[in-house]
């Protein structure tokens, strides 16, 4: 018999055997995607239609997603195949900007395709369990649920994100049991779990037996995906709208800013009584923050403003120029979008912070509620680096540095979490730091007055050159005003060596009115957190610990003499 004939018979036999097998079981589902506005109003913005094919050999998920995340609607189709245990086999994605194929080859995963018009190819060699969790494919959480239902304890894995061509360390922790209700009142036992990947928190409800996903929430992105026909048996009551403490007043104002019409939205938060009051001038951290420094469901500057006001200190905060430029950018496209992107990239510290902060000090001196001779600049994170400079230029009376950098290497490269943190982050942090160092390499060796070309994290390299040029210790030592340094002992971004450097700078000044305070159990936002947290808790609703308001208000009242 010829080789060709033998091959034909083998193929025929396989075909007949296949014809006798039962067809794959088909399960259909629809996911609805919701986004919550900053004022708490949810709106449906998209959906994913899913068909799951189950056979003894594999589990295949095919879906089509439509989502209005910006001015343009995103549409994509995907196909994920895993083996019966849930182990990754292959993945295909097709969208207007992405066409990707991911295939497991031995201990490696090969990613090839086109991203934003450019050909991409990458080989990943993740260790251990790999779970594909691509963007806006909520059906993928059925696979995560499959693994979660088999394990009663937390487990670590690599989250494969094909659109970004990366594998990210992930950790899943099962939570409390609960009930879900389905079509016709069907009730199922479920569990609530928590996924942390790349410091992004995802809250996840899945079937306790099968692992089928019912609900996925990404608090930091205000996204909620629900499997249609299913809901929690005991839905939580709506979160009440936050309101200032009794007696505290907030005035909606506009900060007149040089060269940026028509000014920036601002709030003056006032204690009970007539005043005038000593007033804190807030400088928020890096990035395009609104006036509350909103991050996920948290508003740390708003919390601090209310705490200070309830203790006799007024405060003033405003939305940054970068925040407004970014909001305009999100609402447009084409040439206008490119122009706004360039406007954002061209903003330096002068435009982002210094000009508006000086204008705020002058603006407040003209307000009858404010003691013009008792302005205190209160900066958080990058704002703390700039607080001494603003206090001097704005003729303020003191400066408070909250979670401020204290070492020369205070640029954008991420720092490792505390030694008590999860070792799962070590590789991801090292890789991120290496990318940051490579991106900032053009800054090295530049002569005075030379400006580098390029961008990093949305800002120009000239911006980062400006940041790196500031020595936090020297700025504190040279300031001829009282300084208070405050740090949270579980801060994963600004660590103990930063605080120690600033503490030593205050000691060298030998001023009786300086203070250095470390607050136990608090993170970078001065909110309580678990030991070893790396920032993922920012996406969980919390409040600034009252210990911060107590410490800052007491020091401001001491150095300014209080209300007059």
């Amino acid at each position: 018999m010829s080789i060709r004939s033998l091959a034909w018979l083998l193929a025929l036999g396989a075909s007949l055997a296949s014809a006798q097998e039962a067809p794959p079981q088909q399960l259909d589902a629809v996911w609805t995607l919701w986004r919550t506005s900053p004022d708490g109003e949810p709106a449906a913005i998209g959906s994913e239609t899913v068909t799951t094919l189950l056979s003894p050999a594999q589990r295949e998920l095919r879906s089509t997603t439509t989502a209005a995340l910006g001015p343009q609607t995103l549409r994509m189709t995907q196909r994920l195949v895993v083996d019966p245990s849930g182990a990754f086999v292959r993945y295909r994605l097709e969208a207007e900007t992405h066409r990707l194929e991911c295939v497991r080859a031995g201990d490696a995963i090969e990613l090839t395709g086109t991203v934003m018009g450019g050909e991409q190819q990458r080989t990943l060699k993740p260790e251990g369990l790999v779970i594909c969790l691509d963007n806006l494919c909520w059906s993928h959480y059925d696979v995560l649920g499959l693994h979660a239902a088999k394990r009663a304890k937390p487990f670590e894995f690599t989250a494969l994100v094909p659109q970004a061509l990366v594998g990210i360390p992930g950790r899943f922790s099962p939570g409390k049991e609960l009930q879900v209700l389905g079509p016709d009142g069907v009730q199922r036992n479920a569990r609530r779990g928590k996924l942390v990947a790349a410091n992004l928190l995802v809250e996840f409800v899945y079937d306790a037996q099968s692992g089928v996903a019912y609900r996925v929430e990404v608090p930091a992105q205000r996204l909620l995906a629900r499997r249609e026909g299913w809901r929690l048996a005991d839905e939580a009551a709506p979160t009440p709208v936050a309101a200032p403490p009794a007696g505290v007043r907030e005035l909606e104002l506009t900060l007149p800013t040089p060269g940026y019409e028509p000014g920036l939205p601002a709030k003056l938060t006032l204690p009970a009584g007539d005043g005038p009051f000593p007033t804190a001038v807030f400088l928020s951290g890096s990035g395009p923050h609104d006036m509350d420094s909103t991050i996920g469901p948290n508003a740390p500057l708003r919390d601090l403003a209310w705490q200070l006001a309830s203790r006799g200190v007024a405060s003033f905060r405003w939305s940054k120029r970068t925040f407004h430029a970014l909001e305009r950018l999100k609402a447009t496209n084409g040439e206008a979008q490119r122009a706004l992107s360039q406007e954002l990239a061209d903003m330096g510290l002068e435009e982002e912070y210094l000009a508006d902060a000086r204008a705020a000090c002058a603006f407040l001196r003209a307000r009858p509620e404010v003691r013009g001779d008792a302005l205190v600049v209160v900066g958080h994170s990058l704002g703390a680096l700039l607080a001494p400079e603003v206090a001097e230029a704005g003729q303020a009376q003191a400066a408070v540095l909250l979670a401020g950098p204290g070492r020369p290497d205070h640029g954008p490269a991420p720092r490792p979490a505390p030694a008590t943190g999860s070792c799962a982050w070590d590789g991801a942090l090292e890789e991120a730091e290496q990318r940051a160092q490579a991106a900032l390499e053009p800054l090295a060796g530049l002569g005075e007055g030379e400006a580098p070309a390029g961008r990093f994290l949305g800002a120009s390299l000239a911006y980062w050159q400006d940041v790196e040029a500031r020595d936090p210790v020297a700025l504190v030592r040279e300031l001829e005003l009282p300084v208070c340094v405050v740090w949270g002992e579980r801060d994963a971004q600004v660590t103990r060596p930063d605080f120690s450097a600033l503490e030593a700078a205050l000691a060298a000044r030998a001023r009786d009115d300086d203070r250095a305070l470390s607050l136990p159990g608090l993170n970078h936002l001065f909110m309580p957190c678990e030991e070893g947290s790396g920032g993922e808790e920012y996406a969980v609703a919390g409040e600034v610990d009252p210990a911060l308001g107590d410490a800052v208000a007491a020091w401001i009242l001491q150095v300014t003499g209080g209300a007059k």
Side-chain angles (χ1 to χ4, degrees):
M1 181 181 292
S2 70
I3 294 177
R4 177 174 292 182
S5 299
L6 179 60
W8 184 84
L9 286 174
L10 289 173
L12 177 62
S15 175
L16 292 172
S18 176
Q20 294 172 357
E21 290 178 0
Q25 181 184 3
Q26 179 173 322
L27 304 174
D28 295 320
V30 175
W31 285 81
T32 303
L33 177 62
W34 300 76
R35 169 169 273 172
T36 304
S37 66
D39 60 6
E41 289 297 321
I45 61 169
S47 64
E48 182 188 13
T49 303
V50 189
T51 295
T52 301
L53 300 175
L54 300 176
S55 71
Q58 66 182 32
R59 175 186 297 251
E60 181 178 343
L61 293 82
R62 301 176 180 178
S63 76
T64 300
T65 297
T66 303
L69 294 173
Q72 298 177 335
T73 300
L74 178 147
R75 294 179 178 84
M76 61 187 241
T77 60
Q78 65 89 36
R79 179 187 176 199
L80 172 66
V81 177
V82 298
D83 72 11
S85 71
F88 176 80
V89 176
R90 61 184 178 272
Y91 177 66
R92 177 183 294 169
L93 167 72
E94 292 191 12
E96 184 176 348
T97 57
H98 290 63
R99 282 173 174 77
L100 294 170
E101 186 88 27
C102 309
V103 179
R104 179 178 284 282
D107 62 350
I109 294 177
E110 302 289 345
L111 297 92
T112 58
T114 305
V115 178
M116 302 298 289
E119 294 297 323
Q120 298 285 344
Q121 183 171 357
R122 189 171 185 186
T123 300
L124 302 178
K125 292 191 175 181
E127 295 182 0
L129 178 63
V130 176
I131 302 176
C132 184
L133 292 175
D134 213 344
N135 298 341
L136 302 179
C137 294
W138 311 103
S139 55
H140 290 183
Y141 284 86
D142 281 350
V143 179
L144 175 60
L146 183 67
H147 291 284
K150 294 187 288 187
R151 297 168 170 86
K153 296 181 179 181
F155 62 92
E156 296 181 353
F157 64 97
T158 296
L160 177 64
V161 186
Q163 289 193 48
L165 290 93
V166 296
I168 301 170
R171 180 178 175 83
F172 182 80
S173 302
K176 67 178 183 180
E177 296 181 352
L178 67 162
Q179 300 291 312
V180 292
L181 295 177
D184 302 323
V186 174
Q187 184 164 302
R188 296 282 298 177
N189 295 327
R191 291 186 77 99
R192 187 187 298 275
K194 180 174 75 172
L195 163 68
V196 177
N199 282 13
L200 184 69
L201 171 69
V202 178
E203 296 178 338
F204 171 46
V205 176
Y206 59 99
D207 191 278
Q209 296 295 321
S210 67
V212 165
Y214 297 118
R215 176 187 175 105
V216 180
E217 187 169 5
V218 189
Q221 298 172 350
R222 305 198 307 273
L223 294 178
L224 170 64
R226 296 171 180 261
R227 194 184 201 98
E228 281 196 3
W230 294 86
R231 65 179 179 85
L232 303 184
D234 184 17
E235 292 279 4
T239 303
V241 177
V248 172
R249 298 169 290 147
E250 290 204 303
L251 304 182
E252 303 272 355
L253 302 172
T254 298
L255 171 62
T257 55
Y260 197 82
E261 299 298 335
L264 299 170
K267 282 186 180 180
L268 178 60
T269 306
L270 298 167
D274 298 327
F277 304 100
T279 301
V281 183
F282 285 164
L283 301 179
S284 61
S286 60
H289 283 299
D290 63 13
M291 68 179 70
D292 295 334
S293 268
T294 300
I295 177 168
N298 299 303
L301 286 193
R302 180 204 66 193
D303 291 353
L304 182 57
W306 292 354
Q307 289 180 6
L308 295 183
S310 65
R311 293 158 176 79
V313 177
S315 64
F316 185 68
R317 64 193 194 275
W318 63 93
S319 297
K320 293 168 69 173
R321 294 190 193 191
T322 46
F323 173 79
H324 287 276
L326 185 61
E327 290 298 297
R328 285 156 47 210
L329 186 146
K330 290 177 182 176
T332 187
N333 52 41
E335 187 59 39
Q337 191 175 62
R338 285 189 287 273
L340 283 167
S341 178
Q342 188 62 49
E343 178 185 332
L344 267 170
D346 290 343
M347 285 188 185
L349 292 178
E350 175 66 21
E351 293 82 10
E352 186 186 25
Y353 281 100
L354 304 177
D356 297 337
R358 292 193 301 266
C361 291
F363 175 74
L364 290 171
R365 286 195 184 86
R367 298 288 310 186
E369 307 92 342
V370 173
R371 273 189 59 195
D373 63 343
L375 294 180
V376 178
V377 177
V378 179
H380 176 247
S381 197
L382 180 58
L385 175 67
L386 301 172
E389 189 174 341
V390 170
E392 183 174 34
Q395 300 178 9
Q397 280 60 57
V400 177
L401 282 56
L402 304 177
R407 296 177 290 176
D409 59 335
H410 53 263
R415 293 180 182 167
T420 53
S422 169
C423 62
W425 297 112
D426 292 349
L429 287 167
E430 283 181 17
E431 183 180 350
E433 188 163 2
Q434 288 169 3
R435 289 200 305 268
Q437 289 171 347
L440 297 176
E441 191 172 341
L443 298 183
L446 288 174
E448 186 174 351
E450 291 183 308
R455 297 190 196 183
F456 181 63
L457 295 179
S460 66
L461 288 183
Y463 174 93
W464 294 115
Q465 182 185 42
D466 203 8
V467 172
E468 291 288 324
R470 286 169 165 79
D471 182 343
V473 168
L475 288 170
V476 168
R477 283 182 174 173
E478 294 166 7
L479 184 64
E480 296 181 359
L481 296 171
V483 175
C484 178
V485 173
V486 190
W487 172 66
E489 294 181 4
R490 289 185 179 168
D491 190 332
Q493 293 176 246
V494 173
T495 54
R496 183 169 290 279
D498 292 284
F499 176 68
S500 298
L502 294 175
E503 189 178 31
L506 294 186
R509 285 157 47 99
R511 289 185 62 122
D512 292 338
D513 46 9
D514 284 347
R515 291 290 181 276
L517 306 170
S518 62
L519 303 179
L522 304 186
N523 64 11
H524 192 64
L525 305 183
F526 292 93
M527 296 179 179
C529 72
E530 296 177 1
E531 188 174 6
S533 295
E536 68 275 5
E537 73 278 5
Y538 299 169
V540 179
E543 292 184 2
V544 169
D545 195 282
L548 181 67
D550 290 339
V552 174
W555 186 79
I556 289 177
L557 293 173
Q558 176 189 334
V559 297
T560 63
K564 297 295 185 183

